[in-house]
Amino acid sequence: MAYVYIPVQNSEEEVRVALDQLPRDASDILDILKAEQAPLDLWLIIAREYFKQGKLDQFRQILEEGSSHEIDEYYADVRYERIAILNALGAYYSYLGKVETKQREKEEYFIQATKHYNKASRIDMHEPSTWVGKGQLLLAKGEVEQASAAFRIVLEGDRDNVSALLGQACVEYSRGHYGESLTLFKRALQVYPDCPGAVRLGIGHCHYKLGHVGKACLAFQRVLQLDPENVEALVSLAILDLQTNEAAAIRKGMEKMQRAFEIYPYCAMALNYLANHFFFTGQHFLVEQLTETALAVTNHGPTKSHSYYNLARSYHSKGDYETASRYYWASVKEINKPSEFVFPYYGLGQVQLKLGEIKNALSNFEKVLEVYPDNCETLKVLGHIYVQLGQTEKAQEFLRKAAKIDPRDAQAFLDLGELLISTDTGAALDAFKTARSLLKKGGEEVPIEVLNNIAVIHFEREELELALQNFKEALGDGIWLTFLEGKANTYEVDATSSLLQYKDMQIFRRLEEEGHSVELSWNKVTTLFNLARLLEQLHNTETASTLYRLILYKYPDYVDAYLRLAAIAKARNNLPLSIELVNEALTVNDKCPNALSMLGDLELKNDDWVKAKETFRAASEATDGKDSYATLSLGNWNYFAAIRNEKRNPKLEATHLEKAKELYTRVLVQHTANLYAANGAGVVLAEKGHFDVSKDLFTQVQEAASGSIFVQMPDVWINLAHVYFAQGNFALAVKMYQNCLQKFFYNTDSQILLYLARTHYEAEQWQDCKRTLLRAIHLTPSNYTLRFDAGVAMQKFSASTLQKTKRTVDEVRSTVDELENAVRLFSQLSAASNLYFNGFDEKKINTHVEYCKHLLEAAIVHREAAEREEQQNRQRLDLARQMALAEEARRKAEEQRKFQLERRKQEDELKRVRQQEEHFERVKEQWKSSTSSSKRRDRADIDDGEGGHGEKRRRKGGKRRKKEKSSRSRYEMEEADMMDDHDEPEDDDANVNFREPGYQMNDQDDNVEENAQDVLAAAGLEDSDADDDAAAPSSAGRRKRAWSESDEDEISERKPQSSLLRENSADLQDSDGEFRDKRQENAAVDDED
Amino acid sequence: MKLAGLKSIENAHDESVWAATWIPATETRPALLLTGSLDETVKLWKPDELTLERTNAGHCLGVVSVAAHPSGSIAASASLDSFVRVFDVDSNASIATLEAPPSEVWQMQFDPKGTTLAVAGGGSASVQLWDTEKWKLIATLSIPRQEGPKPSDKNSSKKFVLSVGWSPDGKRVACGSMDGTISVFDVARAKFLHHLEGHFMPVRSLVYSPADPRVLFSASDDAHVHMYDAEGKSMIAAMSGHASWVLSVDASPDGAAIATGSSDKTVRLWDLSMRAAVQTMSNHVDQVWGVKFRPPGGPGPRAGRLASVSDDKSLSLYDYS
């Protein structure tokens, strides 16, 4: 029990005051103190006692009384005590100011404190304790430099002033000069080894900050030795333990925290840590209690922020995002700079994402990123946010950075891959592959989605084998392997019931009966579907259909599988089954726009126009008109309605075309990149004769359509070719048609062959035209129109050859052959038209037959004439050659004559000599007679030669003989010349004679043709009959083509996949979405006319 | 079971080659390959070097089918002008010219004994049977018309007969139509038996298995090959794999495999025990219109041979083992 003795004035007595029994009312004591004029140090002691007992009012009352004017005057010479009282008050107010949270009152307290310190200074400028107090005050106010100055003044006076040393240490500490701070703390300890634990705490903190964890730990432990109840040391030690991150240490740390809490339940730091602990153990109730207490007991911003953060986290994890968001906000508000404590920003961002406040979340995450620019999680989150905001490029940038920073973060690569999948499949594939190998390396199972996506990208890039591998890997073991490897026991089905083969589920029941497990887990359905799609692409249709059926067997509501089966049936032209399958799909969902669209297509194929239109309407309504496929289909419907009738109604045609254009345009407005709508618009434009514009359109569409396995648009190639054709650019048109045939139809489309033939026809390439038509007939033998066209082509070829002024015999001969073929073809058609309905007017065919027969007769005459002419030509040539030979012969004969003249002269001479001798020798006369006989023989030869000459028309051999002979005798030659001369005019005559009938025949020909044409005109064929004939069937066929396979088929075939493939997880939804694309498939087909 | 390319002749014809068959070996010569083309000629080739033996002209329009008599001495060719020309293989002497208007002529086949020639009659929806002694028409096997409200254009053109096949015992003839149905006839009674359904697109080629007179293979534009039990009216298997029309099918003499030719430019070999394609030959660059296994018998090398002809004007010979 401590007592204070107040000396009674003017006596030796003292009043004993028991310090622990100070009166409640301080006025009692004050009265005594004043009355006895007690020394001021007693006032101070009593005030301090009150302070210790927490009786702050009394404490203040005494001190204020003790610093009043009266006292000043009375105790004017007692300086130190007065200063001490003022300093005590100053310190008191400093503390109040420091603790106060409200700014105005805080300043108020600081002013009070300043006032008291100034007063103390006025009493003694040099009192160190005043300076120390002022330093503390400045420190509290955050004016570190001035505080430092104050402490330094003291230290200059007394370098061992412990208070100043500690103050300065604090200054250095808050400046971040932990080393200096540490030395100051140490000096204080040396000067005053018994100083309170707080000094050692300071040392501990400095060591901690300097990273000397061991020393820090020692310092805190020493504090605890001195004062086992020192909460701060306990908490600090606990934090150190927690930070070791070892389970045992953490447990020890938490025990210390707990002890600290038991010792002093209002240490905010301990409360926060405990709350943190309970957050992780999931005891949210405790978290809330602890943090609320912490919030109540502290005004320290960062600590409060921490508490709010804990509270927010607790709500966050409970899913109460609203409350969590509120507390995160509170936490954030306590923070000056995000760098101080960044977690609540992250939490706030997360909660805002949940609440859909994407923009706010974005700014919060960006703040986090400023502090931790390399934080993968944040980068990824930002990437996702940008994806949601549609800023793909930024998103990519962030995800790429995340993947770069942590090249072992599979998740980052997965995210990146998913992001890239729609823009850059190559990069996406790389990302997915990296993720896959990372996952594999980490021994984790690669999620089926990843493998699915990899496979789908391979699929899109037409790397079908790789796609197959990945799908198989994704699916793992299962009943499907049995089908893939073809091991399932097939069984026979009745051929008539095979009509329904794609609906048959027996196979699975049998397999189950045989003890196989037919299982298909839900997460594999999409992949299995994709695999089936791939098999279709690989033309393994049967297995694909089995897999689709497997899906339906297990998941009968999987509409897409029905649609695919329907598409397969449709591809095989099994329309009844296809319609039935689509109807099954519609029983699952009678509003399914895809099924409705497909049904519409099927109805069109069945020539059920009115029904089809209604179905398309229903499809359009099912999607509120947003579905471009249905709109496109309606557009196409209108287009075909416009060109449907053979006898066109111009008014109706215009209306339909206008409507079609409107519908195409509507689609284009919604989806500017819709190829099919652009194609349709091009068709309408071409129909109206704007070829240049439509050509541009088609060219663009063609470019856009190339390069994807899922977009097959042969129509645009055909349309482009049609435009070239219409513009007279036949060569290009031919090329286009041929390319299209090769690229899309394996050269099997007879309709395009017909277009090609027509182009050849217009270009007057008759043989090409005929050959093209023959190929077309070979491909579609039952199309008699093609035979008719071939007949027309041959007829036209013949007529044009006969009209030529110059023609060879071969040409005329082949003309006759062609005409015979044409006659045969037409006659066959005529005969067939009796038996079957093949769309031909028998009269018309007969007209053709008649005409061709006429032509044929004429042609035969022509042929004969031509053959004769050819013969004569040959003769003439022969004669010319003979003339040349004769000339030569004559020249030679001349020489010979000269020679013979010479000889004769010699002979004459000889004769004279001989005549002179004649008389003398008779033997010599005999020689002379022998020469004359030889001459006679020559003569006979000449006759022979003439005979040969007569024959020479047929035999060339004669010539040579003559040549040999001609050299022999000049007489012979002369005669031959005569003959030749005589011959020539004759020949000429003959020629003239022949030619004239020839001309007549030509005239006749023309007449025939004119007549024939008159007849044709009468029969309803105009002059360019052939053109029309070729065109008419083509337009008829064209319509068929329009709805034929390629187009709609793909609608359902290719597109759906592409959709399904993409997002495994979101399959159904997605597929719906993507179906839209697929729908655009529909194509308007062509046409020129 | 595999195919190995032996020899290809580019530009074997001036135009697309549309038909091919093997003329069985006789005592004096080995089997010959007979091909028909759009260039209006029929050519004879001698294996394995595929040297050209002879070129027969005389057809108008393209040659769509060729057939060889089992004796190896007679062959027939038919063209788009609907004439069938029957000629002596070794002398090229014309034996007969057949015509049965208004039927046109598509695929033809001699029966296994060689007494009858069956001709697919196109739009007449019938198969004509010709006696090979006197070259007289002995029967017309007509597909019964479907009953309907109006026997309109569509139905008749649907039953257009494209292909024909004899069963190895000579008792049955099957024919394939544009609408995909296959009709089976009893030859002795000249009677229609039943349809085999399953295709819905033209059936361009039919062949019975040499091993089992009940088994029939059909090739269709739907890219599938079906295997039927032609007597039991049931479908045994549907085989897919071709990317486009299957234009031709033939069964190997051992009955273990079939070969197909398709518009997708490939020739495929199918193992019937697996019912799957085991090999794909892609040496042609356009549609493959005909594939044919060489029949067994005769002098010369005994190995199996398969020939294929294509729109690319070429023909190819493969070793089948």
Side-chain angles (χ1 to χ4, degrees), chain A residues 374-581:
Chain A
D374 289 344
N375 183 289
C376 281
E377 292 303 320
T378 316
L379 285 168
K380 280 191 277 181
V381 170
L382 279 170
H384 283 296
I385 291 176
Y386 278 116
V387 171
Q388 284 184 32
L389 291 174
Q391 301 180 24
T392 358
E393 295 203 357
K394 271 207 133 150
Q396 279 182 28
E397 188 188 310
F398 280 111
L399 287 177
R400 273 186 213 279
K401 199 172 163 199
K404 205 167 141 194
I405 288 165
D406 187 357
R408 274 167 304 177
D409 183 350
Q411 192 58 40
F413 281 104
L414 287 183
D415 292 346
L416 185 59
E418 257 161 47
L419 180 62
L420 287 168
I421 212 164
S422 54
T423 50
D424 181 352
T425 47
L429 184 61
D430 288 344
F432 280 131
K433 278 184 176 164
T434 317
R436 180 180 60 179
S437 56
L438 285 173
L439 287 170
K440 276 188 182 162
K441 237 186 255 167
E444 287 177 64
E445 198 181 331
V446 185
I448 186 170
E449 292 85 2
V450 180
L451 291 168
N452 180 63
N453 284 343
I454 290 176
V456 169
I457 296 174
H458 279 306
F459 191 178
E460 281 183 359
R461 288 155 60 104
E462 297 189 52
E463 295 155 355
L464 303 184
E465 279 306 313
L466 284 171
L468 188 63
Q469 271 173 29
N470 278 293
F471 279 135
K472 280 186 184 162
E473 194 183 336
L475 285 169
D477 275 342
I479 188 76
W480 41 86
L481 286 180
T482 324
F483 303 122
L484 280 176
E485 286 154 22
K487 282 187 193 146
N489 295 326
T490 45
Y491 54 96
E492 299 184 9
V493 291
D494 193 295
T496 45
S497 76
S498 69
L499 201 95
L500 301 175
Q501 53 187 309
Y502 294 130
K503 281 181 67 184
D504 184 33
M505 296 292 176
Q506 258 188 57
I507 180 170
F508 307 113
R509 277 179 217 119
R510 288 207 182 195
L511 279 169
E512 277 180 342
E513 279 163 23
E514 284 167 20
H516 298 276
S517 80
V518 181
E519 287 304 325
L520 174 61
S521 68
W522 62 270
N523 60 348
K524 289 187 174 172
V525 174
T526 306
T527 310
L528 195 64
F529 182 89
N530 289 339
L531 174 61
R533 262 301 297 147
L534 177 67
L535 291 173
E536 273 189 76
Q537 199 71 30
L538 290 168
H539 309 294
N540 194 348
T541 327
E542 292 304 309
T543 314
S545 112
T546 315
L547 294 185
Y548 288 133
R549 276 182 282 153
L550 173 63
I551 293 174
L552 290 176
Y553 183 62
K554 288 286 164 187
Y555 301 90
D557 286 353
Y558 203 91
V559 171
D560 289 324
Y562 279 118
L563 292 181
R564 291 309 311 155
L565 283 173
I568 293 176
K570 196 168 130 205
R572 298 194 60 185
N573 207 25
N574 192 346
L575 298 187
L577 175 61
S578 189
I579 289 176
E580 199 174 324
L581 284 162

Side-chain angles (χ1 to χ4, degrees), chain A residues 652-664:
Chain A
L652 216 67
E653 188 183 327
T655 330
H656 279 309
L657 277 184
E658 212 37 60
K659 182 79 187 155
K661 191 178 161 196
E662 184 200 315
L663 288 162
Y664 292 138

Side-chain angles (χ1 to χ4, degrees), chain A residues 490 493 495 539 541-542 572-574 746-748 771 775 778-779 781-782 784 821 824 828 835-837, chain B residues 15-16 18 81-83 99 102 104 123-124 200 204 222 224 226 233-235 240-241 243 263 275 286-287:
Chain A
T490 45
V493 291
H539 309 294
T541 327
E542 292 304 309
R572 298 194 60 185
N573 207 25
N574 192 346
Y746 294 103
N747 286 341
T748 57
R771 224 156 255 156
R775 279 180 205 282
H778 192 217
L779 289 169
S782 60
Y784 287 97
N821 284 332
R824 185 165 166 80
Q828 273 182 346
L835 285 173
Y836 324 108
F837 179 97
Chain B
E15 273 291 345
S16 307
W18 281 351
D81 63 5
S82 302
F83 283 117
E99 166 183 39
E104 54 268 60
S124 65
F200 291 86
R204 291 185 192 260
D222 64 13
H224 282 61
H226 283 184
K233 294 208 286 179
S234 62
M235 183 159 86
S240 59
S263 289
R275 283 169 195 166
D286 208 338
Q287 332 192 37

